[in-house]
């Protein structure tokens, strides 16, 4: 039919173009490794991206080639976010906290040709260089960390590379369905699995992050992604920020309580995003030292379940709203956000909390269902628990060059997440557990997530993890690991059991001797509690399986 709309592709470079034309004065702020601040604008970004595009071409990079990063959140990483896809190449952000073996695997599997490395991570790149024969050049980004003991050799200096490249680059015609970026999942058994994001999926996903009910980024916000840019495109925030002209604050490696509090205050950040661990650390620091965080209204928290204590503490002590979201590497990651509906806002606080603790509803673009053991749909009654399945334009349809990992994708076009959830009558998803983290006792299931949430509500507890301990009589028993809150009085195992007894059936309760107090919990490369390691430690033997 004629008279139709233009067939205009959804491309990453058009995000950059809009930011630099319409919001040239808006700031991009980065924190160097020595704590000093770097400032530039979206107007400054465009010519630097042009130079970088030319530099990449000068190094022989063309459409489809993979360009990898080992880098913290910074303006240079942002430049790569735009330059690499703009020449038709694929930006592969690498989680450098992964084990060496996994890093070697993913660089090799992705066939990365260039590695852009922050100076603070250069020693790792140098150590791995002999194992990475496919990497042709190492480009070092000097992030003002003290001189590392080693760096790959020979290497190219990022700023010298840009300075020697021309400021006007040609933008090729691109297909919106071609690859723009890729990221490997970290929390799996076996080898990491690659997920490839297209220009179209990246663009649409970034738009979703600007929906009022799904993060609501806008020009009026100052956003700080505390989620690393090496993990699922920092939840798309760098693209959403540029798309709307929001000021963006990139905290580098400064993710612990103090540096984060300082930059949130000094840059008047209004909204920040990251995993619960980061915000727990921030909360503890804010209890020790006073900052003016009056600009900060929302923390977007996902990656692991948010606890009631986190929502209440931030709200009551600092007037900051915790907005709970769920997602995965495979879902770009935005899957659901738990914004309250209008009518819910006049409900009693307790009832509102019940919904704010859920993972939330999907934004337009993501469709959800829960599947029973037989693969049939379960009702949305908030009770029945099945495997959450999703589909949509920013959900992976397969893993990169990994046909053996295809079981997660159903024949009728859904992705099985491996997360066990219920969905209520309003469409709010509530995650009950990761399929492999559920605890099975005498044939019945116990949700480790529900139990953890209850335990961290104890004022003497900073963090808690519940994992299955194999038991010859009961199949499995819940084993609890607790980190005491600094400065809090002693906590007895029986207190934890008594607290749980108010919420859980008797048969679900852990034994007092299964409650262990520890100094810290092991974390994955993206700051989630690493249950694989805990299970292995409890079993006192080799790792019994992944999560
Ligand atoms: P990743 O792909 O490494 O980001 O991990 C995705 C997994 O993290 C999901 O499948 C969930 O198991 C978990 N996850 C993400 N967000 C949440 C959340 N809000 N609550 C509980 N678990 C979450």
């Amino acid at each position: 039919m004629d008279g139709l709309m233009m067939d205009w592709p959804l491309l990453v470079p058009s995000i950059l173009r809009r930011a630099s034309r319409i919001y040239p004065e808006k700031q991009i702020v980065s924190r160097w490794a020595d704590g000093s601040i770097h400032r530039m604008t979206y107007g400054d970004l465009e010519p630097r991206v042009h130079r970088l595009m030319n530099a990449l071409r000068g190094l022989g990079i063309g459409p489809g080639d993979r360009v990898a990063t080992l880098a913290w959140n910074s303006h240079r990483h942002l430049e790569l976010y735009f330059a690499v896809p703009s020449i038709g190449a694929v930006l592969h952000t690498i989680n450098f906290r992964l084990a060496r073996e996994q890093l070697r695997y993913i660089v090799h599997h992705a066939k990365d040709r260039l590695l852009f490395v922050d100076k603070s991570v250069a020693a790792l790149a140098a150590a791995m260089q002999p194992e990475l024969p496919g990497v042709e050049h190492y480009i070092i980004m000097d992030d003002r960390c003290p001189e590392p003991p080693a760096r790959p050799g020979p290497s190219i200096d990022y700023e010298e590379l840009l300075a020697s490249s021309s400021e006007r680059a040609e933008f090729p015609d691109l297909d919106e369905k071609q690859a723009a970026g890729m990221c490997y999942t970290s929390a799996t058994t076996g080898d990491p699995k690659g997920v490839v994001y297209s220009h179209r999926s990246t663009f649409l996903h970034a738009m979703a992050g600007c929906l009022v009910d799904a993060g609501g980024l806008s020009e009026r916000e100052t956003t700080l992604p505390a989620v690393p840019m090496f993990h699922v495109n920092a939840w798309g925030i760098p693209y959403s920020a540029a798309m709307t002209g929001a000021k963006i604050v990139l905290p580098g490696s400064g993710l612990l309580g103090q540096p984060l509090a300082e930059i949130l205050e000094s840059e008047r950040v209004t909204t920040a995003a990251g995993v619960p661990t980061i915000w727990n650390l921030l909360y503890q620091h804010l209890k020790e030292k006073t900052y003016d965080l009056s600009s900060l209204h929302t923390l977007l928290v996902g990656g692991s379940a948010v606890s009631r204590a986190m929502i209440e503490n931030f709200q009551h002590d600092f007037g900051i709203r915790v907005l709970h979201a769920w997602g995965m590497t495979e879902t770009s990651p935005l899957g659901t956000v738990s914004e309250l509906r209008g009518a819910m806002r006049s409900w009693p606080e307790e009832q509102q909390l019940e919904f704010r603790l859920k993972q939330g509803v999907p934004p337009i673009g993501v469709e959800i269902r829960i599947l029973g053991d037989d693969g049939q749909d379960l009702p949305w009654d908030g009770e029945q628990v099945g495997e959450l399945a999703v589909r949509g334009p920013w959900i992976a349809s397969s893993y990169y060059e990994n046909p053996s990992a295809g079981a997660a994708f159903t024949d009728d076009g859904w992705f099985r997440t491996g997360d066990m959830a219920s969905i209520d009558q309003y469409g709010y998803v509530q995650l009950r557990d990761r399929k492999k983290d559920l605890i099975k006792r005498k044939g019945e299931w116990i949700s480790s997530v529900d139990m953890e949430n209850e335990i961290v509500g104890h004022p003497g507890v900073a963090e808690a993890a519940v994992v299955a301990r194999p038991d010859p009589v009961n199949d499995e028993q819940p084993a609890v690991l607790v980190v005491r809150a600094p400065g809090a009085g002693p906590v007895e195992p029986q207190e934890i059991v008594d607290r749980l007894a108010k919420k859980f059936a008797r048969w679900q309760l852990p034994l007092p001797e299964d409650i262990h107090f520890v100094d810290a919990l092991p974390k994955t490369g993206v700051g989630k509690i690493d249950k694989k390691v805990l299970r292995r430690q409890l079993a006192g033997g080799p790792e019994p399986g992944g999560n």
Side-chain angles (χ1 to χ4, degrees):
M1 192 173 173
D2 64 359
L4 273 174
M5 297 295 118
M6 291 179 187
D7 186 10
W8 186 77
L10 307 177
L11 300 175
V12 168
S14 58
I15 303 176
L16 170 70
R17 216 159 34 237
R18 180 167 194 274
S20 63
R21 303 276 150 83
I22 303 193
Y23 306 107
E25 80 292 357
K26 295 298 297 286
Q27 286 189 30
I28 299 161
V29 179
S30 307
R31 182 183 181 281
W32 296 113
D34 64 1
S36 58
I37 295 292
H38 175 272
R39 258 174 233 286
M40 63 189 278
T41 63
Y42 286 118
D44 301 328
L45 181 65
E46 192 177 29
R48 284 179 61 86
V49 169
H50 280 238
R51 284 181 186 277
L52 183 53
M53 289 167 65
N54 287 329
L56 289 165
R57 288 176 170 136
L59 293 171
I61 297 299
D65 287 335
R66 261 78 69 197
V67 173
T69 60
L70 290 176
W72 294 102
N73 295 9
S74 75
H75 60 288
R76 293 186 181 130
H77 213 166
L78 187 68
E79 288 159 9
L80 285 154
Y81 264 47
F82 285 105
V84 175
S86 292
I87 64 164
V90 184
L91 181 72
H92 174 200
T93 54
I94 300 178
N95 178 356
F96 49 80
R97 293 184 186 136
L98 293 178
R100 278 271 289 268
E101 205 180 303
Q102 292 187 317
L103 288 173
R104 189 184 328 113
Y105 172 86
I106 63 178
V107 172
H108 178 74
H109 190 256
K111 301 191 181 66
D112 294 326
R113 292 186 55 195
L114 303 182
L115 211 45
F116 284 77
V117 188
D118 271 348
K119 193 164 119 187
S120 51
V121 194
L124 172 67
M128 294 201 57
Q129 190 172 13
E131 305 161 26
L132 307 177
V135 175
E136 295 161 34
H137 297 285
Y138 291 81
I139 301 95
I140 304 294
M141 302 187 283
D142 185 350
D143 58 359
R144 298 200 186 160
C145 78
E147 194 62 41
R151 60 165 68 192
S155 61
I156 301 168
D157 176 77
Y158 183 90
E159 291 300 331
E160 284 174 16
L161 183 67
L162 256 61
S164 62
S165 304
S166 123
E167 198 177 285
R168 275 270 40 103
E170 287 299 317
F171 282 77
D173 286 337
L174 299 172
D175 181 339
E176 65 173 14
K177 293 205 177 99
Q178 79 185 67
M182 69 190 301
C183 185
Y184 281 72
T185 59
S186 46
T188 55
T189 39
D191 290 326
K193 292 178 284 210
V195 174
V196 180
Y197 308 112
S198 66
H199 281 259
R200 177 186 156 82
S201 74
T202 306
F203 192 105
L204 289 172
H205 176 266
M207 280 185 89
C210 309
L211 293 172
V212 181
D213 288 331
L217 211 54
S218 81
E219 187 275 336
R220 288 158 301 286
E221 305 292 349
T222 294
T223 184
L224 182 148
V227 47
M229 288 173 79
F230 58 65
H231 184 54
V232 214
N233 289 333
W235 299 355
I237 293 168
Y239 291 126
S240 296
M243 192 172 254
T244 53
K247 173 179 168 184
I248 187 165
V249 179
L250 301 165
S253 55
L255 297 177
L256 298 178
Q258 181 174 345
L260 205 50
E262 283 171 2
I263 202 165
L264 287 166
E265 178 184 57
S266 62
E267 296 303 324
R268 308 294 299 152
V269 171
T270 64
T271 170
V275 294
T277 314
I278 300 278
W279 307 122
N280 268 330
L281 290 172
L282 178 72
Y283 179 79
Q284 279 158 28
H285 184 68
L286 295 181
K287 294 298 274 182
E288 285 160 18
K289 197 167 166 213
T290 305
Y291 292 84
D292 173 8
L293 296 189
S294 53
S295 58
L296 185 61
H297 58 74
T298 301
L299 297 178
L300 184 68
V301 187
S304 298
V306 162
S307 68
R308 162 186 284 259
M310 175 170 283
I311 295 183
E312 288 182 333
N313 288 343
F314 272 105
Q315 191 71 55
H316 295 157
D317 296 349
F318 304 111
I320 299 169
R321 179 178 74 131
V322 166
L323 182 60
H324 193 188
W326 166 86
M328 306 176 71
T329 307
E330 293 88 336
T331 65
S332 292
L334 188 56
T336 62
V337 182
S338 202
E339 187 67 79
L340 289 182
R341 289 187 185 200
M344 294 173 175
R345 288 163 196 240
S346 49
W347 288 0
E349 193 175 317
E350 186 57 32
Q351 214 180 336
Q352 293 190 22
L353 248 175
E354 194 189 309
F355 281 82
R356 294 177 63 191
L357 280 166
K358 297 189 182 192
Q359 277 67 18
V361 297
I364 180 71
V366 178
E367 295 186 3
I368 54 172
R369 52 200 284 223
I370 38 172
L371 306 175
D373 286 342
D374 54 2
Q376 292 305 305
D377 279 279
L378 294 177
W380 292 19
D381 60 6
E383 297 289 332
Q384 298 202 51
V385 176
E387 185 173 358
L388 182 65
V390 292
R391 70 176 178 190
W394 57 84
I395 311 294
S397 62
S398 64
Y399 290 110
Y400 174 67
E401 292 195 354
N402 194 341
S404 62
F409 304 94
T410 67
D411 291 341
D412 56 348
W414 290 78
F415 167 61
R416 296 185 77 122
T417 62
D419 282 333
M420 303 302 288
S422 57
I423 305 178
D424 66 25
Q425 54 175 321
Y426 303 105
Y428 283 68
V429 171
Q430 183 173 9
L431 243 70
R432 302 305 176 126
D433 226 330
R434 199 70 198 137
K435 218 170 170 179
K436 289 175 183 150
D437 289 344
L438 277 170
I439 298 158
K440 197 173 194 185
R441 189 163 186 273
K442 291 186 178 161
E444 298 283 344
W445 296 105
I446 306 173
S447 159
S448 64
V449 174
D450 288 354
M451 207 169 258
E452 287 157 6
N453 275 336
E454 193 50 38
I455 298 168
V456 293
H458 189 296
V461 173
E463 275 189 305
V466 178
V467 290
R469 173 177 67 72
D471 182 89
V473 182
N474 297 315
D475 296 342
E476 291 176 342
Q477 277 285 130
V480 180
L481 293 107
V482 177
V483 180
R484 288 195 178 90
V491 186
E492 293 302 321
Q494 191 60 45
E495 275 179 62
I496 304 280
V497 179
D498 292 346
R499 186 181 176 89
L500 291 172
K502 293 186 191 135
K503 280 274 168 70
F504 290 84
R506 272 179 71 88
W507 65 266
Q508 295 180 311
L509 295 178
L511 303 167
E513 55 268 34
D514 272 326
I515 305 211
H516 309 279
F517 292 92
V518 293
D519 292 336
L521 293 170
K523 302 280 165 46
T524 67
V526 290
K528 302 183 194 189
I529 294 169
D530 195 336
K531 294 199 173 175
K532 257 187 310 200
V533 173
L534 285 177
R535 278 191 288 260
R536 188 180 56 208
Q537 287 171 352
L538 278 170
E543 199 171 286
N547 52 354

